[in-house]
Amino acid sequence: MPTVFGKAGEVLKKAVEQYRPDAVVCVGQAGGRAAITPEMIAVNIMDARIPDNAGNKPCHELIIKREFDEFKTKQAVCQMYVVH
Protein backbone atom coordinates (compact mmCIF):
# COMPACT_ATOMS: atom_id res chain seq x y z
CA MET A 1 0.00 0.00 0.00
CA PRO A 2 1.26 3.47 -0.77
CA THR A 3 2.03 5.66 2.21
CA VAL A 4 0.49 8.71 0.57
CA PHE A 5 -2.70 10.40 1.75
CA GLY A 6 -5.59 9.61 -0.57
CA LYS A 7 -3.86 6.78 -2.48
CA ALA A 8 -4.20 3.68 -0.26
CA GLY A 9 -8.00 3.70 -0.54
CA GLU A 10 -7.84 3.73 -4.34
CA VAL A 11 -5.37 0.82 -4.38
CA LEU A 12 -7.47 -1.13 -1.87
CA LYS A 13 -10.69 -0.59 -3.84
CA LYS A 14 -9.09 -1.87 -7.05
CA ALA A 15 -7.68 -4.93 -5.26
CA VAL A 16 -11.07 -5.77 -3.69
CA GLU A 17 -12.77 -5.45 -7.07
CA GLN A 18 -10.14 -7.66 -8.70
CA TYR A 19 -9.79 -10.39 -6.05
CA ARG A 20 -13.28 -10.23 -4.46
CA PRO A 21 -12.21 -11.42 -0.97
CA ASP A 22 -14.71 -12.64 1.62
CA ALA A 23 -13.43 -10.03 4.07
CA VAL A 24 -10.95 -7.19 4.31
CA VAL A 25 -9.19 -6.13 7.50
CA CYS A 26 -7.53 -2.73 7.40
CA VAL A 27 -5.10 -1.73 10.11
CA GLY A 28 -3.09 1.37 10.74
CA GLN A 29 0.19 1.89 12.49
CA ALA A 30 0.02 3.16 16.05
CA GLY A 31 3.53 3.95 17.20
CA GLY A 32 4.52 2.49 20.55
CA ARG A 33 1.73 -0.08 20.76
CA ALA A 34 2.79 -3.68 21.24
CA ALA A 35 -0.51 -5.18 20.09
CA ILE A 36 -3.40 -4.73 17.70
CA THR A 37 -5.92 -2.46 19.42
CA PRO A 38 -9.42 -2.37 17.88
CA GLU A 39 -11.10 0.99 18.10
CA MET A 40 -14.74 1.84 18.73
CA ILE A 41 -14.65 5.09 16.77
CA ALA A 42 -12.86 5.78 13.49
CA VAL A 43 -12.11 9.45 13.01
CA ASN A 44 -12.76 10.65 9.44
CA ILE A 45 -10.03 13.28 9.55
CA MET A 46 -6.50 13.47 8.16
CA ASP A 47 -4.04 15.27 10.41
CA ALA A 48 -0.38 14.76 9.62
CA ARG A 49 2.40 15.57 12.03
CA ILE A 50 4.96 15.01 9.26
CA PRO A 51 4.60 14.93 5.45
CA ASP A 52 3.80 11.62 3.71
CA ASN A 53 6.01 10.11 1.01
CA ALA A 54 4.62 12.56 -1.59
CA GLY A 55 5.11 15.61 0.64
CA ASN A 56 1.42 15.97 1.61
CA LYS A 57 0.72 17.24 5.11
CA PRO A 58 -3.06 17.56 5.52
CA CYS A 59 -4.41 19.46 8.48
CA HIS A 60 -7.90 18.55 9.73
CA GLU A 61 -9.23 17.43 6.32
CA LEU A 62 -12.07 14.96 5.85
CA ILE A 63 -10.98 11.59 4.45
CA ILE A 64 -14.40 10.85 2.96
CA LYS A 65 -15.94 14.08 1.73
CA ARG A 66 -19.57 14.84 2.60
CA GLU A 67 -19.52 12.31 5.41
CA PHE A 68 -19.45 12.39 9.17
CA ASP A 69 -16.47 13.40 11.30
CA GLU A 70 -16.47 9.92 12.85
CA PHE A 71 -17.78 6.42 12.31
CA LYS A 72 -18.80 4.19 15.23
CA THR A 73 -18.54 0.42 15.09
CA LYS A 74 -21.51 -1.82 15.77
CA GLN A 75 -19.15 -4.54 17.02
CA ALA A 76 -18.52 -5.28 20.69
CA VAL A 77 -14.89 -4.09 20.70
CA CYS A 78 -14.31 -5.08 24.33
CA GLN A 79 -14.98 -8.71 23.38
CA MET A 80 -12.22 -8.62 20.74
CA TYR A 81 -9.38 -8.23 23.22
CA VAL A 82 -7.42 -11.26 24.36
CA VAL A 83 -6.25 -11.05 27.95
CA HIS A 84 -2.82 -12.55 28.63
Side-chain angles (χ1 to χ4, degrees):
M1 286 299 201
T3 52
V4 175
F5 286 101
K7 295 294 181 191
E10 295 171 10
V11 171
L12 177 62
K13 183 178 178 182
K14 287 178 183 176
V16 168
E17 289 170 353
Q18 179 180 354
Y19 297 107
R20 304 184 52 79
D22 292 330
V24 175
V25 177
C26 296
V27 296
Q29 195 279 337
R33 293 188 190 172
I36 295 172
T37 52
E39 297 178 344
M40 294 175 60
I41 300 171
V43 180
N44 183 32
I45 294 179
M46 293 183 283
D47 263 328
R49 183 177 51 82
I50 59 173
D52 66 15
N53 287 339
N56 301 309
K57 190 177 175 193
C59 181
H60 206 77
E61 296 177 23
L62 288 178
I63 298 167
I64 302 173
K65 309 294 188 238
R66 299 175 308 223
E67 289 288 344
F68 303 101
D69 288 345
E70 62 186 34
F71 297 93
K72 296 179 182 176
T73 183
K74 293 179 174 61
Q75 303 300 316
V77 173
C78 60
Q79 294 175 355
M80 294 180 191
Y81 289 95
V82 175
V83 179
H84 295 278

